[in-house]
Amino acid sequence: MRILVVEDERAIADFVGRGLESEGYAVTCVHDGAEGEALALTGRFDLLVLDLMLPGRTGMEILQSFRVADRETPVILLTARAEVSDRVAGLDSGATDYVTKPFAFEELAARIRTHLRRPGQEKPTALKVGSLEINLLKRSVSRGGLDIRLSAREFDLLAFLMRHPGQVLSREQLLNGVWGYDYDPGTNVVGVYIAYLRRKLSVDGLEDPIETLRSVGYRLLEET
Ligand code: CA
């Protein structure tokens, strides 16, 4: 993971840079805003740490031009305690977070760890729809808190439905997404497995979570 630190106060840049290197990051520190902006725009970094008051270009200017090119990469602003309005403007301009000076290194390191594993960048390991919960790593399933045992194919079918809650999925989409067929084998395998799933997911007091839309497909209900 590569981090760019743009901070003109050398003492701060040094302690941040050394600390992050000791945590295993590859760190580039620069002390000038224009240089920082040029480096940020190379797209080589996984996260930026920007001071606001910089010679050359301000942290806010760097943030704004960076966000035109890149909306995803996390940007953490370093702000002075008095700069509340800058902080708000920074978040409005697409900063991911800010750390108020003076700060302990551990505080900044914790924010960096958090933002480098944002949910959008990582595949979810658990899904929840209504009363249904599955864990994709453990391949475990529960409904209304009760554990349910499914075969591998049943699990794949349920996981596919849970990735598209409330959406009508055609037989062809299910054949493709769950069985990997790009043609219709002309069997009723989807209908058969939907019936297996329904039976295993049936829990006293809870409705059938799968709706059949005749000659259209199936839909996993979002509220059951
Ligand atoms: Ca500064």
mmCIF file of all heavy atoms in Angstrom, residues 186-221:
data_model
loop_
_atom_site.group_PDB
_atom_site.id
_atom_site.type_symbol
_atom_site.label_atom_id
_atom_site.label_comp_id
_atom_site.label_asym_id
_atom_site.label_seq_id
_atom_site.Cartn_x
_atom_site.Cartn_y
_atom_site.Cartn_z
ATOM 1 N N GLY A 186 -32.842 -26.979 -20.877
ATOM 2 C CA GLY A 186 -34.164 -27.549 -21.114
ATOM 3 C C GLY A 186 -34.659 -28.441 -19.984
ATOM 4 O O GLY A 186 -35.593 -29.205 -20.169
ATOM 5 N N THR A 187 -34.003 -28.341 -18.823
ATOM 6 C CA THR A 187 -34.498 -29.098 -17.672
ATOM 7 C C THR A 187 -35.155 -28.119 -16.717
ATOM 8 O O THR A 187 -35.032 -26.900 -16.873
ATOM 9 C CB THR A 187 -33.343 -29.773 -16.909
ATOM 10 O OG1 THR A 187 -32.518 -28.748 -16.363
ATOM 11 C CG2 THR A 187 -32.522 -30.660 -17.819
ATOM 12 N N ASN A 188 -35.792 -28.653 -15.710
ATOM 13 C CA ASN A 188 -36.413 -27.774 -14.730
ATOM 14 C C ASN A 188 -35.543 -27.660 -13.485
ATOM 15 O O ASN A 188 -36.038 -27.568 -12.374
ATOM 16 C CB ASN A 188 -37.803 -28.298 -14.368
ATOM 17 C CG ASN A 188 -38.540 -27.297 -13.490
ATOM 18 O OD1 ASN A 188 -38.272 -26.078 -13.562
ATOM 19 N ND2 ASN A 188 -39.428 -27.777 -12.650
ATOM 20 N N VAL A 189 -34.219 -27.695 -13.688
ATOM 21 C CA VAL A 189 -33.320 -27.721 -12.528
ATOM 22 C C VAL A 189 -33.523 -26.513 -11.611
ATOM 23 O O VAL A 189 -33.473 -26.630 -10.388
ATOM 24 C CB VAL A 189 -31.850 -27.870 -13.005
ATOM 25 C CG1 VAL A 189 -31.393 -26.657 -13.786
ATOM 26 C CG2 VAL A 189 -30.923 -28.128 -11.843
ATOM 27 N N VAL A 190 -33.814 -25.347 -12.186
ATOM 28 C CA VAL A 190 -34.012 -24.155 -11.346
ATOM 29 C C VAL A 190 -35.241 -24.343 -10.454
ATOM 30 O O VAL A 190 -35.175 -24.139 -9.229
ATOM 31 C CB VAL A 190 -34.157 -22.883 -12.207
ATOM 32 C CG1 VAL A 190 -34.524 -21.690 -11.334
ATOM 33 C CG2 VAL A 190 -32.864 -22.599 -12.952
ATOM 34 N N GLY A 191 -36.331 -24.760 -11.072
ATOM 35 C CA GLY A 191 -37.565 -24.971 -10.306
ATOM 36 C C GLY A 191 -37.372 -26.006 -9.201
ATOM 37 O O GLY A 191 -37.864 -25.837 -8.077
ATOM 38 N N VAL A 192 -36.622 -27.051 -9.509
ATOM 39 C CA VAL A 192 -36.376 -28.112 -8.528
ATOM 40 C C VAL A 192 -35.585 -27.555 -7.336
ATOM 41 O O VAL A 192 -35.926 -27.780 -6.174
ATOM 42 C CB VAL A 192 -35.627 -29.291 -9.194
ATOM 43 C CG1 VAL A 192 -35.110 -30.271 -8.158
ATOM 44 C CG2 VAL A 192 -36.536 -29.984 -10.201
ATOM 45 N N TYR A 193 -34.531 -26.781 -7.638
ATOM 46 C CA TYR A 193 -33.707 -26.250 -6.543
ATOM 47 C C TYR A 193 -34.417 -25.156 -5.751
ATOM 48 O O TYR A 193 -34.220 -25.019 -4.543
ATOM 49 C CB TYR A 193 -32.340 -25.777 -7.063
ATOM 50 C CG TYR A 193 -31.364 -26.927 -7.055
ATOM 51 C CD1 TYR A 193 -31.306 -27.813 -8.109
ATOM 52 C CD2 TYR A 193 -30.556 -27.155 -5.941
ATOM 53 C CE1 TYR A 193 -30.447 -28.897 -8.084
ATOM 54 C CE2 TYR A 193 -29.700 -28.237 -5.899
ATOM 55 C CZ TYR A 193 -29.644 -29.108 -6.975
ATOM 56 O OH TYR A 193 -28.799 -30.167 -6.918
ATOM 57 N N ILE A 194 -35.252 -24.360 -6.432
ATOM 58 C CA ILE A 194 -36.051 -23.378 -5.694
ATOM 59 C C ILE A 194 -36.963 -24.110 -4.699
ATOM 60 O O ILE A 194 -37.107 -23.692 -3.536
ATOM 61 C CB ILE A 194 -36.901 -22.516 -6.667
ATOM 62 C CG1 ILE A 194 -35.994 -21.572 -7.467
ATOM 63 C CG2 ILE A 194 -37.988 -21.754 -5.912
ATOM 64 C CD1 ILE A 194 -35.526 -20.315 -6.757
ATOM 65 N N ALA A 195 -37.521 -25.247 -5.136
ATOM 66 C CA ALA A 195 -38.391 -26.019 -4.233
ATOM 67 C C ALA A 195 -37.598 -26.568 -3.043
ATOM 68 O O ALA A 195 -38.067 -26.528 -1.901
ATOM 69 C CB ALA A 195 -39.068 -27.150 -5.007
ATOM 70 N N TYR A 196 -36.376 -27.071 -3.296
ATOM 71 C CA TYR A 196 -35.525 -27.538 -2.188
ATOM 72 C C TYR A 196 -35.276 -26.410 -1.195
ATOM 73 O O TYR A 196 -35.371 -26.582 0.017
ATOM 74 C CB TYR A 196 -34.150 -27.996 -2.697
ATOM 75 C CG TYR A 196 -34.111 -29.254 -3.508
ATOM 76 C CD1 TYR A 196 -33.024 -29.514 -4.337
ATOM 77 C CD2 TYR A 196 -35.127 -30.216 -3.441
ATOM 78 C CE1 TYR A 196 -32.935 -30.662 -5.092
ATOM 79 C CE2 TYR A 196 -35.051 -31.380 -4.195
ATOM 80 C CZ TYR A 196 -33.960 -31.602 -5.022
ATOM 81 O OH TYR A 196 -33.875 -32.732 -5.768
ATOM 82 N N LEU A 197 -34.918 -25.240 -1.746
ATOM 83 C CA LEU A 197 -34.597 -24.095 -0.888
ATOM 84 C C LEU A 197 -35.800 -23.700 -0.043
ATOM 85 O O LEU A 197 -35.677 -23.484 1.165
ATOM 86 C CB LEU A 197 -34.213 -22.886 -1.739
ATOM 87 C CG LEU A 197 -32.751 -22.494 -1.877
ATOM 88 C CD1 LEU A 197 -32.665 -21.126 -2.545
ATOM 89 C CD2 LEU A 197 -32.024 -22.473 -0.541
ATOM 90 N N ARG A 198 -36.947 -23.614 -0.698
ATOM 91 C CA ARG A 198 -38.162 -23.224 0.029
ATOM 92 C C ARG A 198 -38.412 -24.150 1.208
ATOM 93 O O ARG A 198 -38.732 -23.710 2.298
ATOM 94 C CB ARG A 198 -39.377 -23.335 -0.902
ATOM 95 C CG ARG A 198 -39.567 -22.183 -1.807
ATOM 96 C CD ARG A 198 -41.049 -22.092 -2.182
ATOM 97 N NE ARG A 198 -41.289 -20.843 -2.857
ATOM 98 C CZ ARG A 198 -41.488 -20.744 -4.181
ATOM 99 N NH1 ARG A 198 -41.487 -21.820 -4.947
ATOM 100 N NH2 ARG A 198 -41.696 -19.559 -4.714
ATOM 101 N N ARG A 199 -38.234 -25.444 0.949
ATOM 102 C CA ARG A 199 -38.516 -26.418 2.011
ATOM 103 C C ARG A 199 -37.535 -26.208 3.172
ATOM 104 O O ARG A 199 -37.916 -26.160 4.321
ATOM 105 C CB ARG A 199 -38.405 -27.833 1.445
ATOM 106 C CG ARG A 199 -39.067 -28.875 2.327
ATOM 107 C CD ARG A 199 -39.379 -30.146 1.556
ATOM 108 N NE ARG A 199 -38.145 -30.744 1.032
ATOM 109 C CZ ARG A 199 -38.010 -31.213 -0.215
ATOM 110 N NH1 ARG A 199 -39.012 -31.148 -1.070
ATOM 111 N NH2 ARG A 199 -36.882 -31.752 -0.597
ATOM 112 N N LYS A 200 -36.247 -26.033 2.824
ATOM 113 C CA LYS A 200 -35.257 -25.906 3.899
ATOM 114 C C LYS A 200 -35.345 -24.570 4.631
ATOM 115 O O LYS A 200 -34.965 -24.465 5.792
ATOM 116 C CB LYS A 200 -33.853 -26.094 3.329
ATOM 117 C CG LYS A 200 -33.630 -27.531 2.874
ATOM 118 C CD LYS A 200 -32.170 -27.823 2.697
ATOM 119 C CE LYS A 200 -31.966 -29.288 2.338
ATOM 120 N NZ LYS A 200 -30.551 -29.569 2.012
ATOM 121 N N LEU A 201 -35.826 -23.549 3.917
ATOM 122 C CA LEU A 201 -35.901 -22.223 4.549
ATOM 123 C C LEU A 201 -37.199 -22.016 5.316
ATOM 124 O O LEU A 201 -37.388 -20.953 5.910
ATOM 125 C CB LEU A 201 -35.766 -21.123 3.491
ATOM 126 C CG LEU A 201 -34.435 -21.057 2.726
ATOM 127 C CD1 LEU A 201 -34.475 -19.948 1.681
ATOM 128 C CD2 LEU A 201 -33.253 -20.845 3.672
ATOM 129 N N SER A 202 -38.069 -23.011 5.274
ATOM 130 C CA SER A 202 -39.349 -22.772 5.935
ATOM 131 C C SER A 202 -39.167 -22.856 7.454
ATOM 132 O O SER A 202 -38.582 -23.792 7.990
ATOM 133 C CB SER A 202 -40.415 -23.740 5.417
ATOM 134 O OG SER A 202 -40.584 -24.795 6.299
ATOM 135 N N VAL A 203 -39.578 -21.794 8.108
ATOM 136 C CA VAL A 203 -39.426 -21.658 9.557
ATOM 137 C C VAL A 203 -40.788 -21.241 10.094
ATOM 138 O O VAL A 203 -41.438 -20.368 9.513
ATOM 139 C CB VAL A 203 -38.365 -20.574 9.892
ATOM 140 C CG1 VAL A 203 -38.404 -20.188 11.354
ATOM 141 C CG2 VAL A 203 -36.973 -21.039 9.491
ATOM 142 N N ASP A 204 -41.202 -21.868 11.168
ATOM 143 C CA ASP A 204 -42.509 -21.542 11.757
ATOM 144 C C ASP A 204 -42.650 -20.047 12.002
ATOM 145 O O ASP A 204 -41.745 -19.420 12.553
ATOM 146 C CB ASP A 204 -42.687 -22.272 13.099
ATOM 147 C CG ASP A 204 -43.128 -23.715 12.878
ATOM 148 O OD1 ASP A 204 -43.515 -24.045 11.733
ATOM 149 O OD2 ASP A 204 -43.070 -24.497 13.841
ATOM 150 N N GLY A 205 -43.749 -19.492 11.568
ATOM 151 C CA GLY A 205 -44.023 -18.086 11.858
ATOM 152 C C GLY A 205 -43.442 -17.133 10.825
ATOM 153 O O GLY A 205 -43.696 -15.939 10.884
ATOM 154 N N LEU A 206 -42.640 -17.647 9.873
ATOM 155 C CA LEU A 206 -42.079 -16.776 8.841
ATOM 156 C C LEU A 206 -42.620 -17.195 7.475
ATOM 157 O O LEU A 206 -42.778 -18.380 7.196
ATOM 158 C CB LEU A 206 -40.551 -16.860 8.832
ATOM 159 C CG LEU A 206 -39.835 -16.324 10.069
ATOM 160 C CD1 LEU A 206 -38.343 -16.587 9.978
ATOM 161 C CD2 LEU A 206 -40.084 -14.825 10.219
ATOM 162 N N GLU A 207 -42.871 -16.203 6.649
ATOM 163 C CA GLU A 207 -43.427 -16.486 5.318
ATOM 164 C C GLU A 207 -42.377 -17.049 4.366
ATOM 165 O O GLU A 207 -41.179 -16.851 4.566
ATOM 166 C CB GLU A 207 -43.940 -15.183 4.697
ATOM 167 C CG GLU A 207 -45.316 -14.779 5.169
ATOM 168 C CD GLU A 207 -45.693 -13.433 4.585
ATOM 169 O OE1 GLU A 207 -45.478 -13.239 3.365
ATOM 170 O OE2 GLU A 207 -46.174 -12.587 5.355
ATOM 171 N N ASP A 208 -42.860 -17.681 3.310
ATOM 172 C CA ASP A 208 -41.987 -18.124 2.221
ATOM 173 C C ASP A 208 -41.228 -16.915 1.675
ATOM 174 O O ASP A 208 -41.843 -15.939 1.246
ATOM 175 C CB ASP A 208 -42.883 -18.723 1.126
ATOM 176 C CG ASP A 208 -42.077 -19.253 -0.051
ATOM 177 O OD1 ASP A 208 -40.838 -19.082 -0.062
ATOM 178 O OD2 ASP A 208 -42.699 -19.828 -0.950
ATOM 179 N N PRO A 209 -39.884 -16.913 1.706
ATOM 180 C CA PRO A 209 -39.147 -15.719 1.272
ATOM 181 C C PRO A 209 -39.004 -15.618 -0.247
ATOM 182 O O PRO A 209 -38.552 -14.585 -0.750
ATOM 183 C CB PRO A 209 -37.775 -15.903 1.913
ATOM 184 C CG PRO A 209 -37.609 -17.381 2.027
ATOM 185 C CD PRO A 209 -38.987 -17.961 2.222
ATOM 186 N N ILE A 210 -39.355 -16.683 -0.955
ATOM 187 C CA ILE A 210 -39.156 -16.669 -2.415
ATOM 188 C C ILE A 210 -40.498 -16.570 -3.117
ATOM 189 O O ILE A 210 -41.385 -17.400 -2.895
ATOM 190 C CB ILE A 210 -38.403 -17.924 -2.892
ATOM 191 C CG1 ILE A 210 -37.057 -18.041 -2.176
ATOM 192 C CG2 ILE A 210 -38.198 -17.883 -4.415
ATOM 193 C CD1 ILE A 210 -36.358 -19.368 -2.389
ATOM 194 N N GLU A 211 -40.627 -15.579 -3.944
ATOM 195 C CA GLU A 211 -41.863 -15.388 -4.699
ATOM 196 C C GLU A 211 -41.665 -15.927 -6.113
ATOM 197 O O GLU A 211 -40.627 -15.685 -6.730
ATOM 198 C CB GLU A 211 -42.174 -13.890 -4.748
ATOM 199 C CG GLU A 211 -43.488 -13.551 -5.388
ATOM 200 C CD GLU A 211 -43.687 -12.029 -5.506
ATOM 201 O OE1 GLU A 211 -42.773 -11.267 -5.137
ATOM 202 O OE2 GLU A 211 -44.755 -11.642 -6.000
ATOM 203 N N THR A 212 -42.649 -16.676 -6.613
ATOM 204 C CA THR A 212 -42.593 -17.161 -7.995
ATOM 205 C C THR A 212 -43.449 -16.258 -8.863
ATOM 206 O O THR A 212 -44.611 -16.012 -8.540
ATOM 207 C CB THR A 212 -43.163 -18.594 -8.093
ATOM 208 O OG1 THR A 212 -42.402 -19.434 -7.229
ATOM 209 C CG2 THR A 212 -43.073 -19.127 -9.532
ATOM 210 N N LEU A 213 -42.868 -15.728 -9.934
ATOM 211 C CA LEU A 213 -43.655 -14.950 -10.880
ATOM 212 C C LEU A 213 -43.798 -15.808 -12.123
ATOM 213 O O LEU A 213 -42.823 -16.003 -12.870
ATOM 214 C CB LEU A 213 -42.964 -13.617 -11.186
ATOM 215 C CG LEU A 213 -42.931 -12.704 -9.959
ATOM 216 C CD1 LEU A 213 -41.563 -12.711 -9.317
ATOM 217 C CD2 LEU A 213 -43.351 -11.303 -10.321
ATOM 218 N N ARG A 214 -44.987 -16.336 -12.286
ATOM 219 C CA ARG A 214 -45.231 -17.330 -13.308
ATOM 220 C C ARG A 214 -44.695 -16.910 -14.681
ATOM 221 O O ARG A 214 -44.956 -15.805 -15.116
ATOM 222 C CB ARG A 214 -46.736 -17.601 -13.390
ATOM 223 C CG ARG A 214 -47.097 -18.925 -14.000
ATOM 224 C CD ARG A 214 -48.580 -19.192 -13.858
ATOM 225 N NE ARG A 214 -48.926 -19.787 -12.556
ATOM 226 C CZ ARG A 214 -48.726 -21.074 -12.250
ATOM 227 N NH1 ARG A 214 -48.193 -21.889 -13.139
ATOM 228 N NH2 ARG A 214 -49.070 -21.544 -11.074
ATOM 229 N N SER A 215 -43.925 -17.774 -15.287
ATOM 230 C CA SER A 215 -43.281 -17.599 -16.599
ATOM 231 C C SER A 215 -42.371 -16.364 -16.683
ATOM 232 O O SER A 215 -41.965 -15.947 -17.756
ATOM 233 C CB SER A 215 -44.307 -17.602 -17.750
ATOM 234 O OG SER A 215 -45.042 -16.403 -17.747
ATOM 235 N N VAL A 216 -42.038 -15.765 -15.531
ATOM 236 C CA VAL A 216 -41.093 -14.641 -15.527
ATOM 237 C C VAL A 216 -39.833 -15.017 -14.755
ATOM 238 O O VAL A 216 -38.713 -14.911 -15.261
ATOM 239 C CB VAL A 216 -41.729 -13.377 -14.904
ATOM 240 C CG1 VAL A 216 -40.723 -12.237 -14.874
ATOM 241 C CG2 VAL A 216 -42.972 -12.973 -15.674
ATOM 242 N N GLY A 217 -40.010 -15.470 -13.513
ATOM 243 C CA GLY A 217 -38.847 -15.847 -12.719
ATOM 244 C C GLY A 217 -39.153 -15.881 -11.236
ATOM 245 O O GLY A 217 -40.285 -16.150 -10.829
ATOM 246 N N TYR A 218 -38.144 -15.558 -10.465
ATOM 247 C CA TYR A 218 -38.258 -15.651 -9.007
ATOM 248 C C TYR A 218 -37.725 -14.377 -8.377
ATOM 249 O O TYR A 218 -36.844 -13.717 -8.939
ATOM 250 C CB TYR A 218 -37.449 -16.845 -8.481
ATOM 251 C CG TYR A 218 -37.881 -18.157 -9.089
ATOM 252 C CD1 TYR A 218 -37.241 -18.653 -10.221
ATOM 253 C CD2 TYR A 218 -38.940 -18.878 -8.536
ATOM 254 C CE1 TYR A 218 -37.645 -19.845 -10.798
ATOM 255 C CE2 TYR A 218 -39.349 -20.078 -9.096
ATOM 256 C CZ TYR A 218 -38.697 -20.556 -10.236
ATOM 257 O OH TYR A 218 -39.099 -21.727 -10.804
ATOM 258 N N ARG A 219 -38.239 -14.095 -7.181
ATOM 259 C CA ARG A 219 -37.777 -12.912 -6.474
ATOM 260 C C ARG A 219 -37.631 -13.250 -4.995
ATOM 261 O O ARG A 219 -38.529 -13.858 -4.403
ATOM 262 C CB ARG A 219 -38.793 -11.785 -6.638
ATOM 263 C CG ARG A 219 -38.505 -10.603 -5.722
ATOM 264 C CD ARG A 219 -39.190 -9.345 -6.181
ATOM 265 N NE ARG A 219 -40.631 -9.495 -6.270
ATOM 266 C CZ ARG A 219 -41.412 -8.651 -6.963
ATOM 267 N NH1 ARG A 219 -40.881 -7.675 -7.643
ATOM 268 N NH2 ARG A 219 -42.706 -8.842 -6.978
ATOM 269 N N LEU A 220 -36.481 -12.845 -4.422
ATOM 270 C CA LEU A 220 -36.305 -12.995 -2.976
ATOM 271 C C LEU A 220 -36.903 -11.760 -2.311
ATOM 272 O O LEU A 220 -36.478 -10.624 -2.605
ATOM 273 C CB LEU A 220 -34.819 -13.116 -2.620
ATOM 274 C CG LEU A 220 -34.547 -13.352 -1.130
ATOM 275 C CD1 LEU A 220 -34.994 -14.754 -0.706
ATOM 276 C CD2 LEU A 220 -33.076 -13.165 -0.818
ATOM 277 N N LEU A 221 -37.878 -11.967 -1.436
ATOM 278 C CA LEU A 221 -38.529 -10.833 -0.784
ATOM 279 C C LEU A 221 -37.586 -10.197 0.226
ATOM 280 O O LEU A 221 -36.827 -10.891 0.902
ATOM 281 C CB LEU A 221 -39.816 -11.295 -0.083
ATOM 282 C CG LEU A 221 -40.857 -11.945 -1.012
ATOM 283 C CD1 LEU A 221 -42.041 -12.462 -0.217
ATOM 284 C CD2 LEU A 221 -41.315 -10.940 -2.077
#
